[in-house]
Amino acid sequence: MVLQEEKQVQPFTDIFDEDEAEKSFLLSKPTCLIVFGKPGSGKKTLARKLAQRWKCIFIEASEVTQTNIQQRTEYGLKCQELLCQGQSIPEELVTEMILQKIESPEVAHFGYVLTGFPSLSEEYMTVPQQIEKIMNLKLKPDVLINIKCPDYELCQRISGQRQNPDSGEVYQRSQWDPKVTEKRKKEKDQDEEEDEEEDEEQEEEGEEETAEGPYKKLESFHQLVQRPEDFLENAEKRIGIYKDIVLPPVEKLLTDQDCRYLIEVDGSQQPDHVFEVNKNYTCSYCCFNKQDELFRALSSYKLIAPRYRWRRSRWGQVCPVALKEGDIVMGNPEFAVSFLGKMYVLSSQEALKKFMLNPRPYLLPPMPVSPCKVFVFGPPFSGRTTICNVIARNYKGKV
């Protein structure tokens, strides 16, 4: 009988209920991706591009370490102290910083793109333990991306890298080697000759600009140095260690993964082409798009037109962050922001920062609404105290 009643009630359920749809989104899990690949396969480059594309948080060991040092966090001060003493940062500290970043409020809302994990070092945890740690997280990866590339090509790519000692920026052979740049320039010239006459004029102008670029850059490339880890013998050693230690458990993980959420790409191609392949992957968890960015950009400005007003949220001009903390504070229009098509007015720059990092805690039930204040009055012995206690008990209020 109960099942029959549920079947009868179900057709009358409003599947397009806005509040339910908003609640469903706020309770949903954000997009989380992880990129695997041998050393030098372009994991970091691809992960950074994907993070920019999907509006996720880019997480990588060196990036997280540098951020902690710049922000002078507790972990950052420890890292800085060790580096000043000439010591290396232990693997345990790096792993703790990565896990702390994964558990941060902004990652809980935007999701992440993780790379460089598991690491080659096993001084803190073995590779299977690292994989188990990641896959058992509350925000475990939804999509796994594996970059494949021949060992010989990886060794040539790594050994061709050069670093600027002043800025720390790393350049590929195609950026600093005059032979490679001239060869690419000739190929471009040949392609341009085959194009139509109308396009040749525009492309010749572009050619003049790009032709000067490499030669201008070459003037500053004489100071580039080769890092010890980029020597050919060291590159071969790193790749060998990866194949012996990391590759078997990673392949086991990829084998057990649902093929719908597994992407394997050819790492021998140019990074931009590899990214083009991945950015077309339809991710059902991704929620932010260019329209949301437009709302966010326009939200702090005046109305578009008198007849077209922003859609107000149920909190009106009250700051939802302050309400969640138990205060009633009216928002400032300078700190307005649009989320899911509705306008939220925050009270301060700090509240705006909290809301932008992760708005979900401030919008999920129990809904932060303005507290209701009731005043009961009447003649003596009319039952004012009794009614007050009953109201407070039923509505969880305070007398």
Side-chain angles (χ1 to χ4, degrees), residues 72-89:
R72 300 186 64 82
T73 62
E74 182 180 352
Y75 289 122
L77 294 175
K78 287 182 181 179
C79 294
Q80 193 170 14
E81 183 180 355
L82 292 170
L83 293 174
C84 291
Q85 295 175 357
Q87 303 178 21
S88 60
I89 302 175

Side-chain angles (χ1 to χ4, degrees), residues 19-29 360:
D19 293 337
E20 288 298 322
E22 184 175 323
K23 180 181 176 181
S24 176
F25 167 75
L26 293 173
L27 291 172
S28 65
K29 181 178 178 294
R360 304 185 188 214

Side-chain angles (χ1 to χ4, degrees), residues 233-250:
E233 56 272 17
N234 292 337
E236 293 175 347
K237 184 178 179 181
R238 284 167 57 199
I239 293 173
I241 293 174
Y242 182 91
K243 291 172 66 176
D244 293 339
I245 299 177
V246 181
L247 192 57
V250 167

Side-chain angles (χ1 to χ4, degrees), residues 258-288:
D258 189 342
C259 61
R260 294 177 298 173
Y261 306 107
L262 172 63
I263 305 174
E264 292 190 338
V265 295
D266 183 7
S268 59
Q269 306 175 42
Q270 292 295 325
D272 291 336
H273 184 68
V274 175
F275 173 65
E276 288 293 329
V277 174
N278 281 274
K279 79 174 186 179
N280 294 325
Y281 176 77
T282 304
C283 189
S284 59
Y285 297 94
C286 204
C287 55
F288 281 101

Side-chain angles (χ1 to χ4, degrees), residues 170-221:
V170 179
Y171 297 90
Q172 301 294 330
R173 185 182 296 276
S174 59
Q175 295 175 289
W176 64 266
D177 193 343
K179 297 180 181 179
V180 179
T181 53
E182 288 177 4
K183 183 179 178 181
R184 287 194 173 187
K185 182 177 178 296
K186 290 179 181 179
E187 292 177 355
K188 286 184 179 180
D189 293 339
Q190 292 176 359
D191 294 338
E192 288 173 359
E193 291 176 359
E194 298 174 358
D195 293 337
E196 297 178 357
E197 295 180 359
E198 295 180 358
D199 297 330
E200 283 182 359
E201 295 179 359
Q202 299 177 356
E203 290 180 355
E204 284 174 3
E205 294 177 0
E207 180 189 354
E208 292 176 0
E209 296 175 2
T210 53
E212 292 179 1
Y215 293 106
K216 284 185 177 180
K217 291 180 180 178
L218 282 174
E219 296 177 1
S220 61
F221 281 166

Side-chain angles (χ1 to χ4, degrees), residues 91-372:
E91 194 68 27
E92 181 179 1
L93 187 58
V94 175
T95 305
E96 289 178 1
M97 287 189 290
I98 291 175
L99 296 177
Q100 183 194 49
K101 186 67 176 178
I102 292 176
E103 296 172 358
S104 61
E106 62 268 28
V107 170
H109 178 53
F110 291 101
Y112 64 81
V113 181
L114 174 65
T115 187
F117 205 91
S119 66
L120 293 175
S121 174
E122 290 189 313
E123 62 181 43
Y124 175 53
M125 286 192 296
T126 63
V127 172
Q129 289 175 341
Q130 295 180 55
I131 294 176
E132 184 180 1
K133 185 75 172 177
I134 284 294
M135 299 311 293
N136 289 332
L137 288 173
K138 183 180 179 181
L139 294 178
K140 68 176 184 179
D142 303 299
V143 181
L144 277 62
I145 302 174
N146 185 31
I147 304 177
K148 291 187 173 182
C149 193
D151 295 348
Y152 174 78
E153 187 169 338
L154 287 177
C155 292
Q156 294 300 315
R157 185 185 300 178
I158 295 174
S159 61
Q161 293 181 154
R162 298 293 185 272
Q163 186 182 39
N164 189 327
D166 296 330
S167 64
E169 190 173 356
V170 179
Y171 297 90
Q172 301 294 330
R173 185 182 296 276
S174 59
Q175 295 175 289
W176 64 266
D177 193 343
K179 297 180 181 179
V180 179
T181 53
E182 288 177 4
K183 183 179 178 181
R184 287 194 173 187
K185 182 177 178 296
K186 290 179 181 179
E187 292 177 355
K188 286 184 179 180
D189 293 339
Q190 292 176 359
D191 294 338
E192 288 173 359
E193 291 176 359
E194 298 174 358
D195 293 337
E196 297 178 357
E197 295 180 359
E198 295 180 358
D199 297 330
E200 283 182 359
E201 295 179 359
Q202 299 177 356
E203 290 180 355
E204 284 174 3
E205 294 177 0
E207 180 189 354
E208 292 176 0
E209 296 175 2
T210 53
E212 292 179 1
Y215 293 106
K216 284 185 177 180
K217 291 180 180 178
L218 282 174
E219 296 177 1
S220 61
F221 281 166
H222 68 278
Q223 62 181 353
L224 299 183
V225 296
Q226 187 177 20
R227 299 174 298 180
E229 59 265 28
D230 293 337
F231 292 159
L232 182 60
E233 56 272 17
N234 292 337
E236 293 175 347
K237 184 178 179 181
R238 284 167 57 199
I239 293 173
I241 293 174
Y242 182 91
K243 291 172 66 176
D244 293 339
I245 299 177
V246 181
L247 192 57
V250 167
E251 287 184 339
K252 184 178 183 302
L253 172 66
L254 298 177
T255 304
D256 298 336
Q257 179 71 11
D258 189 342
C259 61
R260 294 177 298 173
Y261 306 107
L262 172 63
I263 305 174
E264 292 190 338
V265 295
D266 183 7
S268 59
Q269 306 175 42
Q270 292 295 325
D272 291 336
H273 184 68
V274 175
F275 173 65
E276 288 293 329
V277 174
N278 281 274
K279 79 174 186 179
N280 294 325
Y281 176 77
T282 304
C283 189
S284 59
Y285 297 94
C286 204
C287 55
F288 281 101
N289 51 32
K290 292 184 179 179
Q291 186 177 3
D292 293 316
E293 293 178 13
L294 182 63
F295 275 129
R296 192 179 295 118
L298 294 176
S299 61
S300 298
Y301 297 92
K302 296 180 180 179
L303 300 177
I304 299 175
R307 293 177 60 187
Y308 299 93
R309 297 180 177 275
W310 290 108
R311 195 167 164 213
R312 299 175 64 186
S313 68
R314 68 187 68 189
W315 292 275
Q317 294 185 355
V318 181
C319 176
V321 175
L323 281 175
K324 194 72 174 180
E325 296 172 354
D327 298 327
I328 304 176
V329 182
M330 301 305 293
N332 189 335
E334 294 182 4
F335 306 115
V337 64
S338 178
F339 179 64
L340 295 179
K342 295 180 181 178
M343 181 64 62
Y344 298 91
V345 188
L346 287 307
S347 58
S348 64
Q349 186 67 41
E350 184 181 357
L352 177 64
K353 184 178 179 181
K354 290 181 180 179
F355 191 84
M356 291 287 289
L357 284 178
N358 188 359
R360 304 185 188 214
Y362 308 106
L363 305 180
L364 280 170
M367 308 301 286
V369 296
S370 302
C372 178

